[in-house]
Structures are given as structure tokens and as C-alpha cells.
Amino acid sequence: MKVIISGGGTGGHIYPAIAIANELKAIDSTTEILFVGAEGKMEMEKVPRAGYTIVGLPIVGIKRELTLSNLAFPFKLGTSLLRARQIVRDFRPDVAVGVGGYASGPLLLAASMNGTPTLIQEQNSYAGLTNKVLARWAKRICVAYPGMDAFFPAEKIRITGNPVRSDIQFSGEKVAAGQALFDLDSNRPTLLIIGGSQGARTINESIESGLQRFVDAGIQVIWQTGPAFIERAKAAITAVGSGLIKAYDFIYDMDKAYAVANSVVSRAGALSVSELCLVGRPAILVPFPAAAEDHQTKNAMSLVDHNAALLVNDQLARQELVTAALSLLADKAQQQRLSREIKTFARPNAARDIANEVVKLIRP
């Protein structure tokens, strides 16, 4: 089998793509896989790190505000489409998979024009514009939420869930390793803060303002700040003078971080939500309000409406987030309820199910 997987831009697109690739290799070790991403985006570093080849397109996104970079968009789109057509002709894939992100548009369009069957993986509860356009030519559309026939033809849809990194599925076995890695006291509660691979400014500033309250309550905090905020976070930790707060620009050992967390504060990107469901951690979600079509709020509400997570509005986070986190960490009964309910949304076999759909397009 020869498969192109395209997309990226954020960890929420990249890690599911890698998970699908790993499952395709598990099904047939001779499968040839080529990734196509956007030049200058994080997939150009993360994908080779996972052991796969990737080529880049010069595609960029359109800014919502009027900017000079928007004037270059038609030219970059045209160049990307031409390059994508050449990639498809050279690699000759049996199927092309789009996981969302800038590069998936030109590549899947080029594949469709070449007669190559395509599969779309829509991660959010509200479909993105690119996927809605590409759905016209897609043979299969794998989704994580019910009701997606509001955006896509029902006969093409398969509810598979979102693929997550396989290592986190066994995080419960890694408590001792996580405590050693993060230098934690096993007798103290631990809060994990994750704002996405680049961090979340609102969450970071909210946590920064409440560091002394966490220290006073004896709470350990594992804080993924993103690269832009790490030095400011370290300065704030030095100011409170406590070893209970641990800040990292990026956490690679997320399995161990989830394993030791009693509760989690997170954005509500599709990957983060899927991971939280799988590990069953009680969570406070702070949706990113500028996400396209406000899809992070919709992702969060799919859990909140079923009493499977708590929500703090981004605009109120600086006033409410620390209080909400301390309240949750002090309420073991609520932690147990949230953990029990969020686990019911888990789909541990999502990557394998999507890989099987890919194979069906090649070998009906």
C-alpha cells in the first residue's frame, strides 16, 4: 500500500496523523507512507522525529483581519496546488488521507483530480471549512462526534473517534515513573496545566496570578506553558519561592503527566479532549474563543452537557480558573463523577478503525 497523509499546523492534527500511520504500518509493515505538511509549521519537525518522511507546501492560512499576507494567499495556494499535483504524480498513492490543517486542502484536491480515493478525518464537533469543501470528493469521512451529517453526506460518514498517541492509553501504569520524572510528592494532589503545544496565554496568565494560592493549598502543579511564556513562568515561580510548581515549555512524556494528575486544566482542542476521555482525568476546559466557528466551545460542551467536564469561559478565566481548580482538587466525589463520565466518551481503537477504513479504500 502507498498512502499520503496530509495536514498539520498544530499537535492536534499532527499526532492523530502519526497514530494513523503507525496503525497502517501495524496492519502491513510494507506500507509506504509520505506526509505532506506546510512549510515552516511544526509538522516539519515532529513527523521526522516519529520516523516518517515529510515534504512541505508553501500554503498559508487566511487571516481573519485584513493583512498584507492575505494578498499572497492566492499565489501560495496556486503554487501549493501545482506542487501537490506533482507529489501525487511522483508518489502515486493508493489513497490520500487529510487530517486537517493548511496542507490538506491542496493535497486532497490534487489527489481527487488525479482519481486517487481520499479519506477525511474531521476531529471537531463542528466541521472546518476545508473539510466541508473536500467532502464533495471524499470517499470516506471519519468523525469523532455524532450529528456530523449536518456537514457531510451521511453515507460517507464513519464514527471512529480521534486517534491519540498510543502510549497514553496505559498511563495508569506509570504513576511511579511520573512522580520520579516530575519530582513529585505522592502524598500531595497534582494539577496538570496544558494549553496546547504552543501554550495558551489566558490560561498561563490565570495560573501565574494564582501561584501563591496553589502553594498555600499544598497543590503540586505541572505547567506546560508553551515556548513564548516559559521564562515569565519561571520568574513567577522564583518569586513565590516554592518547589511545588514545575513549569515546562513542552512536555513530551504526556503519558506520565496524565498518570500523576488528579485534575487537568486544558484548552478544548479535539486531540486534548480525546486524550482526556481516554485517560479519564477530571478536567476543567477553557475553550479558545478565536478557534474557527468557535469549535472548541462546541467540543467542550459535548462533554459538559453530559456532566463529563467543567467549563470556564476564556473571558472569565483570570477571575475564576484558579478558584475552580482548587475547588475541584478539594472535592474527591466530583473528581470521581467526572472521571467516570468522561471515560464513556473514549474510543481507544480510533486509529486502528481509521486505518481499516483506509485499507478498505485500497482493498474493497
Side-chain angles (χ1 to χ4, degrees):
M1 298 185 295
K2 300 183 73 172
V3 181
I4 285 181
I5 302 178
S6 66
T10 67
H13 295 308
I14 297 164
Y15 292 117
I18 292 171
I20 295 168
N22 290 343
E23 287 295 338
L24 286 168
K25 282 285 195 178
I27 292 170
D28 184 345
S29 62
T30 67
T31 301
E32 296 180 46
I33 297 173
L34 176 66
F35 279 79
V36 177
E39 292 175 351
K41 295 298 181 179
M42 63 186 295
E43 59 264 27
M44 303 307 291
E45 183 265 326
K46 302 294 185 188
V47 169
R49 185 186 178 107
Y52 293 100
T53 300
I54 185 168
V55 294
L57 301 178
I59 188 69
V60 295
I62 299 179
K63 301 285 193 300
R64 294 191 174 193
E65 65 276 9
L66 184 62
T67 65
L68 288 175
S69 63
N70 280 349
L71 297 177
F73 175 78
F75 303 100
K76 288 184 177 289
L77 177 60
T79 301
S80 295
L81 184 56
L82 289 172
R83 189 175 298 179
R85 293 184 69 179
Q86 189 62 51
I87 290 169
V88 170
R89 281 197 291 262
D90 290 345
F91 188 70
R92 299 175 63 190
D94 296 302
V95 65
V97 178
V99 296
Y102 302 144
S104 64
L107 192 285
L108 261 68
L109 184 57
S112 297
M113 293 168 65
N114 194 60
T116 302
T118 62
L119 179 146
I120 294 170
Q121 200 250 324
E122 173 56 62
Q123 299 157 2
N124 293 294
S125 58
Y126 193 97
L129 176 61
T130 299
N131 278 350
K132 285 190 280 189
V133 172
L134 293 172
R136 176 185 303 180
W137 299 283
K139 298 292 185 182
R140 192 79 76 248
I141 302 169
C142 294
V143 302
Y145 296 91
M148 298 302 287
D149 54 352
F151 309 102
F152 304 126
E155 68 275 9
K156 296 183 178 182
I157 293 174
R158 302 292 184 273
I159 299 180
T160 57
N162 284 322
V164 300
R165 292 164 282 190
S166 60
D167 58 353
I168 73 162
Q169 296 191 33
F170 309 99
S171 62
E173 302 167 6
K174 302 180 180 179
V175 175
Q179 289 171 345
L181 176 65
F182 297 107
D183 190 23
L184 301 176
D185 181 345
S186 61
N187 296 313
R188 293 180 183 270
T190 301
L191 177 67
L192 174 63
I193 313 289
I194 46 175
S197 55
Q198 298 303 309
R201 187 173 186 86
T202 301
I203 293 177
N204 284 339
E205 292 181 349
S206 302
I207 297 304
E208 178 188 41
S209 67
L211 288 184
Q212 190 62 55
R213 295 178 65 188
F214 288 121
V215 172
D216 293 344
I219 304 298
Q220 299 173 124
V221 177
I222 301 172
W223 183 11
Q224 179 176 282
T225 66
F229 202 86
I230 185 63
E231 295 306 321
R232 180 169 161 180
K234 288 179 177 178
I237 292 169
T238 299
V240 298
S242 173
L244 293 177
I245 316 296
K246 327 280 184 176
Y248 307 87
D249 58 346
F250 187 81
I251 299 173
Y252 283 98
D253 297 285
M254 280 304 300
D255 55 334
K256 298 179 181 67
Y258 283 129
V260 298
N262 297 98
S263 298
V264 181
V265 169
S266 175
R267 284 299 198 196
L271 179 64
S272 296
V273 169
S274 296
E275 289 186 347
L276 289 167
C277 293
L278 198 60
V279 299
R281 290 299 180 260
I284 300 172
L285 301 176
V286 187
F288 179 47
E293 287 87 27
D294 198 21
H295 69 256
Q296 286 206 8
T297 296
K298 297 177 176 70
N299 292 346
M301 292 308 298
S302 69
L303 298 179
V304 173
D305 287 343
H306 292 86
N307 299 312
L310 304 178
L311 184 143
V312 170
N313 186 283
D314 186 87
Q315 292 181 329
L316 301 176
R318 291 175 178 84
Q319 294 78 43
E320 299 181 359
L321 182 57
V322 172
T323 298
L326 289 169
S327 177
L328 177 57
L329 286 163
D331 190 339
K332 289 230 169 52
Q334 187 178 38
Q335 290 177 39
Q336 291 170 355
R337 285 195 301 272
L338 291 173
S339 178
R340 182 177 64 250
E341 294 302 321
I342 200 170
K343 284 179 181 177
T344 65
F345 288 84
R347 288 185 175 267
N349 299 317
R352 173 56 64 96
D353 291 343
I354 294 170
N356 284 333
E357 293 296 333
V358 173
V359 173
K360 289 176 187 176
L361 293 179
I362 302 172
R363 306 168 180 166

